[in-house]
């Protein structure tokens, strides 16, 4: 399976052939690709080669010296070779598509992970703050926007923690005052009964 080259004179007589003895070959002027090359300058055909006993794809071109036709050059390639090359190209193309898809998916995963990881860390931070753990620090990585949101969450958690501490202190004071008042009422009521 290789390239076949045939050289003919303007009447179709074979002058040279890469795969056979030109002296025993028929006149090629009636072959479709040669006939087309003789009339229009070029031609092509797919047909069976009796010389090689395989299906071939032929292309022929007229050779001119100025305005004068001096001959025809024809090349032929076995269809099996073209089909094999086509299958090889298809396999390589498929492999390239798979490789590009894998690389694209990997890059996509890394980009998505780079975006989602700081958001997952923000979610964990919010859950820690919601459970009362305001000592947890915001994530360091992520975009500037994510860092700003984390810093705002931390400020909000600390302010809420301080307000809750103030409310608890005020409640404790109120309970102490109220307890003292109850004790005073009990003592006064008891001492008032003793006096009577």
């Amino acid at each position: 399976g290789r390239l076949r080259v045939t050289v003919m004179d303007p009447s179709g007589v074979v002058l040279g052939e890469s795969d056979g003895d030109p002296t025993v070959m028929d006149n090629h002027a009636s072959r479709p690709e040669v006939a087309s090359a003789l009339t229009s300058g070029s031609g092509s055909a797919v047909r069976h080669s009796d010389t090689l006993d395989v299906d071939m794809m032929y292309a022929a071109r007229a050779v001119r010296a100025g305005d004068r036709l001096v001959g025809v050059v024809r090349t032929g390639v076995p269809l099996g070779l073209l089909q094999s090359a086509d299958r090889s190209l298809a396999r390589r193309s498929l492999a390239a598509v798979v490789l590009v898809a894998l690389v694209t998916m990997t890059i996509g995963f890394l980009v998505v992970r780079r975006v989602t990881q700081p958001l997952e860390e923000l979610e964990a931070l919010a859950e820690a703050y919601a459970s009362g753990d305001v000592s947890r620090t915001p994530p360091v990585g992520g975009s500037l926007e994510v860092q700003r949101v984390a810093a705002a969450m931390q400020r909000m958690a600390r302010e809420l923690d301080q307000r809750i501490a103030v409310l608890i202190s005020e409640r404790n004071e109120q309970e102490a005052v109220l307890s003292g008042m109850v004790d005073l009422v009990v003592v006064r009521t008891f001492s008032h009964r003793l006096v009577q």
Side-chain angles (χ1 to χ4, degrees):
R2 59 187 176 89
L3 183 68
R4 179 182 182 191
V5 180
T6 309
V7 178
M8 294 154 263
D9 70 11
S11 65
V13 173
V14 177
L15 302 174
E17 166 67 45
S18 63
D19 287 335
D21 182 2
T23 59
V24 297
M25 298 182 117
D26 296 338
N27 185 303
H28 282 36
S30 63
R31 307 281 162 87
E33 69 280 0
V34 176
S36 181
L38 289 170
T39 57
S40 66
S42 66
S44 63
V46 175
R47 59 186 172 71
H48 189 76
S49 167
D50 293 331
T51 306
L52 300 177
D53 195 29
V54 294
D55 291 335
M56 300 281 286
M57 174 180 270
Y58 291 105
R61 179 157 307 277
V63 178
R64 298 189 174 275
D67 289 341
R68 188 171 65 90
L69 178 66
V70 294
V72 174
V73 174
R74 181 187 71 177
T75 58
V77 178
L79 281 181
L81 184 64
L82 291 176
Q83 291 165 343
S84 174
D86 189 41
R87 283 191 300 271
S88 175
L89 180 62
R91 281 192 303 270
R92 288 181 185 160
S93 296
L94 179 61
V97 166
V98 169
L99 180 63
V100 167
L102 287 173
V103 168
T104 302
M105 286 172 31
T106 301
I107 291 171
F109 174 77
L110 293 174
V111 167
V112 167
R113 189 68 189 137
R114 186 177 178 117
V115 169
T116 58
Q117 186 173 5
L119 295 176
E120 289 171 358
E121 291 173 0
L122 272 181
E123 180 184 12
L125 181 68
E127 288 174 1
Y129 289 163
S131 67
D133 179 11
V134 294
S135 64
R136 186 150 176 191
T137 57
V140 178
S143 66
L144 184 60
E145 292 80 9
V146 169
Q147 291 175 9
R148 285 180 180 162
V149 169
M153 285 173 57
Q154 187 179 36
R155 281 192 307 275
M156 179 183 68
R158 287 188 177 152
E159 287 174 15
L160 283 173
D161 191 50
Q162 288 171 357
R163 288 183 184 175
I164 289 171
V166 167
L167 287 173
I168 289 172
S169 175
E170 288 176 358
R171 187 193 73 197
N172 289 342
E173 286 178 18
Q174 289 174 353
E175 283 180 357
V177 168
L178 189 58
S179 177
M181 290 175 68
V182 167
D183 289 345
L184 182 62
V185 167
V186 168
V187 168
R188 283 200 151 179
T189 304
F190 185 71
S191 62
H192 181 61
R193 284 190 181 165
L194 286 176
V195 170
Q196 290 178 347

